[in-house]
Each structure stands twice: as C-alpha cells, then as structure tokens.
Amino acid sequence: MLILLPPSEGKADTGTGRRLDLARLSLPELTAAREEVLTALVALGADGDEEAARAALGLSEGQRGELRRNARLRAAATAPAGHVYTGVLYEALDLASLPATAQRAARRSVLISSGLWGAVRLTDRIPPYRCPIGARLPGVGALSAYWRRALAPAMAAAAGDGPVLDLRSGAYAATWAPRGEVADRTVTVRVLHEREVDGVPVRSVVSHFNKATKGRLVRDLLTEGARPRTVGGLLTALRDLKYPVLEQPAPPGRPRPVDVIVTEL
C-alpha cells in the first residue's frame, strides 16, 4: 500500500545533521527537477528584491526570515522529513511513538508531497524550508504545473501494484492525478463532521480536524499492521478500525472518493 500525505507549513526550526544531498533522496528520477526548483528558490531568497520574493511565495512581511532561510538551503543542516514536518496531521500521526514494526511500515509506504522536492519518503533528509505549492518561481513558473509534468512516471512506479490511499490536500493532489489502472486502486478521503441540528443529522467539511483525523487514520493503519492488497481490503481495514466510511460513485479510470464521518472533534 502507498500512502500519500501533504506536507505541512509547520516545520522544525533547524535540521540536526549533514547538509542536503539531492542524490540521496528517494525517487532519484526526480533529482534533475528538484535541482531546478531548489536553484530557483535559493536564488529568489538571495536576490535582494524582498517584496517580489515574498509575493512569489505568498509570504507576509513578518515571514521575511523565511527568505533568508531559503537562501541558505544548500548549506543548512537536514533532518528526516518525518521530523521536519510538524503540522496538525504529523502531530496526530506522532511517528516517534509508533511501535518499531509500524515505523518500518511507515518508511516503506508513506510518501509526502512537496512544492520543493516533488515527493519524499519519511527518512529522506531535508532542511526546513518554505516553498508552498502555490508559488511561482522565476525560470520555473507555477510549481503545481511544473510538478504535474515531472511527477507522473515516478509516482506511478511508487504506486506499485497495491492500493493507494491518497490523503493529499487539493493543491498537492493536482500535481499527480492517478489515471487508468492506478486510479482504479486509488482511494481519496474527505473527512466530514456529523452533528445534529434540530434533530436532523448535518454533515460539514472540517479543516483542522480533517488533518488530525487523517493523521490518526494513518497511525491506526500502521499500528494495526494493515497490509491490504486491494481497494476493498483497504476499506475493510478502515471499517475494522471503526472509521465510518461512505463510498462515493466514481467513473472508471478515476480514484474512488470516500467520506470518513467523525462525530467528535
């Protein structure tokens, strides 16, 4: 099973180990694309036009320090990606407290989307950075379109022949949309909060708790040792873990959308 996660804006302040080495990252077929984006991002942070750089990255004036950090990425200390990302989803996943067997499963099965790296494994050593998927970099252009061209072969290969659990947010999901046979074994998840209003059940999309629920869901799958071989097996595993799952219709050759219903936030 392949599990696709979004990155998080929240990141560790600093790395703890050796400098970045693109050649050591997983999915080596992305090395040239990563080099191009990294070069553009470092140059953007170092060229002195702070206003233009902040606009390109969608940063506020109070985030100008992110430009200086980006300018030093090649010399910055790195840490495993699973430690660098610290947002709500990753807090709920809590990789460090997983049993050893679950941690090994996570290293095998999880890929994290990234505006800078395309996609990385939890163990790939990267420095903290700021590069949202909505950025437009000089010489590269819109990152969503850039990675849409570069990612397809690598992601299809990473998917192998098992089910794909796609938990990415919309902007990152746009960088690789499974098609054909891979799409037929891909599940996308939307988290809905159900509550009663005047005695009538009402469901609504949540944001913060969407991320937390997805983190807990992945944690539970890994802790349980779930190794489904089909989409049906994946949905059964989720239901066995007491997640209310509602399947939604999907045309052939498209990922299967499912709703996970939560009643407590």
Side-chain angles (χ1 to χ4, degrees), residues 69-236:
R69 179 156 72 172
N70 282 350
R72 299 191 295 265
L73 282 176
R74 292 190 184 276
T78 63
H83 298 165
V84 169
Y85 297 111
T86 60
V88 172
L89 187 155
Y90 293 90
E91 289 177 357
L93 176 53
D94 194 8
L95 287 162
S97 70
L98 285 173
T101 54
Q103 290 195 25
R104 289 194 293 271
R107 292 193 289 268
R108 289 193 306 268
S109 60
V110 173
L111 269 181
I112 305 170
S113 289
S114 167
L116 176 52
W117 319 111
V120 290
R121 299 279 185 189
L122 292 169
T123 53
D124 284 333
R125 297 192 68 91
I126 58 175
Y129 65 96
R130 178 58 72 96
C131 187
I133 195 64
R136 298 183 64 91
L137 300 183
V140 171
L143 287 179
S144 56
Y146 180 89
W147 286 115
R148 194 155 50 241
R149 295 188 296 270
L151 274 174
M155 297 296 283
D161 57 5
V164 178
L165 178 60
D166 189 351
L167 301 175
R168 297 173 297 167
S169 54
Y172 287 94
T175 64
W176 178 62
R179 291 290 184 263
E181 183 268 337
V182 178
D184 288 337
R185 46 189 170 86
T186 297
V187 171
T188 61
V189 172
R190 179 176 65 166
V191 178
L192 297 180
H193 176 219
E194 183 175 274
R195 67 191 191 283
E196 283 198 3
V197 178
D198 297 328
V200 178
V202 175
R203 292 171 181 163
S204 59
V205 176
V206 292
S207 54
H208 174 94
F209 296 101
N210 165 62
K211 297 173 183 177
T213 298
K214 288 179 177 179
R216 289 193 292 266
L217 184 153
V218 173
R219 180 181 178 86
D220 289 344
L221 284 171
L222 294 171
T223 302
E224 185 66 19
R227 301 185 67 177
R229 298 182 179 275
T230 64
V231 164
L234 172 57
L235 297 181
T236 296

Side-chain angles (χ1 to χ4, degrees), residues 12 20 60 68 107 170 240 263:
L20 174 68
S60 68
R68 293 190 293 273
R107 292 193 289 268
D240 287 346
T263 55

